Each structure stands twice: as C-alpha cells, then as structure tokens.
Amino acid sequence: MRLFLSLFLVILAFSSFYSQQKNFIDQPFIEVKGTADTLVTPDRIYLDILISEEEISGNSSLEELEQQMISEFKKLAIDIDKQLFVANASSDFKSYFFAGQKVIKTKHYTLLVYQASTLGNALRSLQNIGIANVNVNKTEHSKIKEFQTSMKAKAVANAMKNAQAMAGAISQELGKALFISETNSYFYAMQGQAEGMQVRSNTTGNQEEATTNLSFDQFKISSEVLVRFVLK
C-alpha cells in the first residue's frame, strides 16, 4: 500500500511539472539578455610594513623606530587603534637568525587607509624615518556586495527595456516575467595585478611628490542576466 502511494505521488508530481512546463512553452514569450557594469575606486588599502634592526642607523633602537612610525601616523590623523595592526600573533618583536648566526629583530605591521592620498603621505613619512620595507598587500571596497546587487537589478531593468523595444517593433506588448537567471557576475581590477594591487604614480617629479599622488586600479563590477517575458 505504501509503495503504491509513493508511486502515485511521484507520478502526480511529474505530471504537475510536465503540465507547468507545457503551459510555459505554449505561451508566446520573448527571451533577452541584460547587462550592467560600473567602475568602483577602492576605499580600503592595506599596506604591509616590516621594520627591522637592519634599517636602524646611529644609536636608535628598534623600539624607538616603532614609536617614530606611530608618531608619524598620528600626524596624518590615522587612528592607530583601528588602522594599524600587528600582523603576527604576538605584539613582541620577533628575532630571526641569518647568515653567520646573526640575530635580527623584526616586527611586521599592516596599515589600513581609506584613500590613496593618505597612503602616499604614509609612504613619505616612512621613507623620512628610514623604513623602506613596505608593500601594498591588497585593495578592497567596503560596499562591494551592495554594488554587485545593484548591477544585477540594473541588468534586469536593461533586459526589460530591450524586450520592450523588440516587442514594440512587432506591435506587441510585454507581459510579466516568466523566468530570470543570472548568467554571469564578476568584479576585477581594470589594470595591473589581481585585486588592484599595483600602485602607480600620477606625477613625474621627485620621489616625495610621487608618493603623495598615488592612484589605484578601479574595480569593474559586471552582471549579466537572461530574462523571459510574456508577449501579449
């Protein structure tokens, strides 16, 4: 009895699905693609900073160099508690053995800035106090998900406009949407390396001018959808 009931339910479900598919196919419809894209400038830039004893000149200590760096960042209105992080698990300086059993003390930081101009000023400050081992780790946008959602909605709206133009050409009206599917969605840096990691200068002057006039590759956010509308 249970086997018969299960078989009956399967047949009923299949019949319902087939009926829905047939009803859909029997309706006159139009199928169009819609696309939308935009360019976004990164608003979260991460800089890796490595300070070590090898960079120290004179009688200064590694701890003093660290404090100089923090002092310079404060002058730039950088929130030390929220934007400067110790990259390793421990807040203490780490020691490494190099050739000849020489011990070098180092410390690894990550600096978060929100504008390329701030990063340029930070790079110049680091250069002035003798810290040269720096590298742009990555760039991001804090609202990348919102931009992606917006592009999907615009792609659907563009598909509707295209469908209306095509339907109007044959003196028909557009009905409700029967089917919407996202066929492609992505974002990438327009130039340079992956994730917009390449820094480039907008000036051709001296090095101090160059480090205060940096710009980053923009992200291109794109969405493509496939939509089917009823034709009336």
Side-chain angles (χ1 to χ4, degrees), residues 8-207:
F8 174 76
L9 291 175
V10 169
I11 294 174
L12 183 62
F14 179 79
S15 299
S16 176
F17 174 77
Y18 178 78
S19 176
Q20 290 175 6
Q21 289 294 100
K22 187 175 184 303
N23 290 339
F24 166 73
I25 294 172
D26 286 345
Q27 295 180 86
F29 69 90
I30 182 172
E31 180 178 277
V32 294
K33 284 187 177 180
T35 61
D37 60 63
T38 188
L39 293 176
V40 178
T41 300
D43 67 355
R44 297 176 69 86
I45 306 163
Y46 295 86
L47 183 70
D48 282 342
I49 305 168
L50 184 67
I51 58 176
S52 73
E53 288 179 321
E54 290 184 315
E55 297 177 314
I56 297 175
S57 59
N59 296 322
S60 299
S61 67
L62 195 61
E63 289 79 4
E64 289 173 334
L65 183 61
E66 179 188 33
Q67 289 306 311
Q68 286 181 30
M69 178 185 71
I70 292 174
S71 177
E72 290 296 319
F73 288 164
K74 287 181 177 180
K75 293 177 185 178
L76 300 176
I78 291 174
D79 190 327
I80 301 302
D81 294 331
K82 296 181 179 180
Q83 295 177 246
L84 186 64
F85 315 97
V86 178
N88 47 46
S90 172
S91 62
D92 297 328
F93 288 97
K94 288 193 172 183
S95 299
Y96 295 91
F97 286 93
F98 288 89
Q101 297 299 308
K102 183 180 179 180
V103 180
I104 303 295
K105 290 173 66 179
T106 65
K107 194 165 187 178
H108 185 192
Y109 277 98
T110 297
L111 175 68
L112 168 63
V113 296
Y114 307 109
Q115 295 178 329
S117 58
T118 304
L119 178 62
N121 291 330
L123 289 171
R124 185 175 62 175
S125 297
L126 291 171
Q127 180 185 8
N128 291 339
I129 63 176
I131 297 177
N133 196 346
V134 296
N135 178 58
V136 175
N137 185 312
K138 64 178 179 178
T139 60
E140 298 176 339
H141 197 286
S142 57
K143 296 183 178 180
I144 196 71
K145 296 296 184 183
E146 287 87 341
F147 280 111
Q148 289 177 310
T149 299
S150 175
M151 288 306 101
K152 293 175 185 179
K154 287 186 178 181
V156 173
N158 289 337
M160 183 175 178
K161 289 180 182 178
N162 293 338
Q164 286 173 333
M166 295 169 67
I170 56 174
S171 301
Q172 289 189 250
E173 294 182 3
L174 206 63
K176 65 179 182 180
L178 295 169
F179 174 84
I180 301 176
S181 176
E182 184 179 24
T183 56
N184 200 5
S185 181
Y186 56 87
F187 74 94
Y188 61 89
M190 288 298 293
Q191 299 178 12
Q193 300 176 358
E195 297 187 48
M197 290 171 63
Q198 184 177 10
V199 184
R200 58 185 188 276
S201 170
N202 283 337
T203 66
T204 55
N206 60 46
Q207 189 170 3

